[in-house]
Amino acid sequence: TELRSKLATVGAANSDLQNLMQATEIATLFVDTGLRIRLFTPRIAALFKVTDADVGRAITDFTHRLVDVDLEADAAHVLRDQVALARDVATGDHRWLTMRLRPYRTLDDRIDGLVVTFVDVTERRRSEETLRWTRDQLALATAAAGFGWATWDLVADVLECDPRARAILDLEDATTGFADWAARIHPDDRARVEREVAAAVEEGGRFENTHRLVRRDGDVRRVESNAVFQRDATGRVVRASGLVRDVTERGDADRE
């Protein structure tokens, strides 16, 4: 009776495991320390040409669709150092996967193989590439127009500038605070600008301003700023993004 009870428990656990393996959307491979296949989810078959009959064979005996991946070398690294490894890898059909190798630990904390998972991150990579391309195009467009861009995190009081904005505002670091920018404003313009910034923080929306700026070498320049103040889900203004441009020459021409 005790044996039958234990066998029933083992059978139920095995059934649960098989159902879990069939249901998961993550390509998962279990191998022993010799890289011989113990178990795998159905999605592994899309990467390695394996079938249920191949359990017990070394995974390195099979062709795969991964590009520039040396699974044997990666496995040796994880087994030697007993630390997980994760990196993005490409497939032959131009998709991207995050490959993770982790040591397989037994209940008595022995390393008895590896668990290898592959998660499809193609859409994330494509979004990142699109974002990089968009930023590059924005940088080219703003540079052609003489603009620099800046963002201000009001919660952390962090002002981030691209190199052109940093040069226009005469700031030493790419990341600074609002007070560092305000300190460069001409004393006769500072109170007005601070009032207009406070109003924009209170009301949100667009901010447009032209003021004089005193550089560290004493040179006085005229700077035009255009920004949009953004609210979070609670309605609080938390961020501003905008452009700055040196319009000193234009102002001189207007006065002439």
Side-chain angles (χ1 to χ4, degrees), residues 17-30 39-48 96-102 115-121:
L17 177 60
Q18 291 298 326
N19 278 282
L20 176 63
M21 297 292 287
Q22 292 293 326
T24 183
E25 295 294 318
I26 299 175
T28 306
L29 174 68
F30 295 82
L39 196 65
F40 58 88
T41 62
R43 285 188 175 268
I44 280 292
L47 300 174
F48 295 84
W96 284 93
L97 309 170
T98 294
M99 179 180 72
R100 290 186 174 88
L101 290 82
R102 296 184 179 88
V115 181
V116 188
T117 59
F118 299 90
V119 177
D120 194 314
V121 292

Side-chain angles (χ1 to χ4, degrees), residues 4-73:
R4 282 197 300 270
S5 176
K6 289 183 177 180
L7 288 174
T9 301
V10 171
N14 187 60
S15 295
D16 290 344
L17 177 60
Q18 291 298 326
N19 278 282
L20 176 63
M21 297 292 287
Q22 292 293 326
T24 183
E25 295 294 318
I26 299 175
T28 306
L29 174 68
F30 295 82
V31 296
D32 63 16
T33 53
L35 301 189
R36 290 179 290 271
I37 301 170
R38 283 176 166 165
L39 196 65
F40 58 88
T41 62
R43 285 188 175 268
I44 280 292
L47 300 174
F48 295 84
K49 295 185 179 299
V50 295
T51 66
D52 291 339
D54 295 316
V55 171
R57 295 182 58 189
I59 191 64
T60 50
D61 292 344
F62 300 90
T63 59
H64 55 74
R65 302 174 68 181
L66 307 174
V67 178
D68 295 329
V69 171
D70 188 341
L71 192 59
E72 191 170 9

Side-chain angles (χ1 to χ4, degrees), residues 73-128:
D74 289 338
H77 170 74
V78 173
L79 289 173
R80 182 185 66 249
D81 297 341
Q82 298 185 14
V83 294
L85 180 151
R87 60 189 176 93
D88 286 355
V89 298
T91 66
D93 57 350
H94 308 295
R95 300 193 68 78
W96 284 93
L97 309 170
T98 294
M99 179 180 72
R100 290 186 174 88
L101 290 82
R102 296 184 179 88
Y104 180 96
R105 295 183 181 274
T106 62
L107 291 177
D108 56 355
D109 202 31
R110 290 185 299 107
I111 304 298
D112 195 30
L114 296 168
V115 181
V116 188
T117 59
F118 299 90
V119 177
D120 194 314
V121 292
T122 305
E123 294 307 315
R124 187 203 73 192
R125 294 279 299 211
R126 288 174 179 169
S127 297
E128 290 173 350

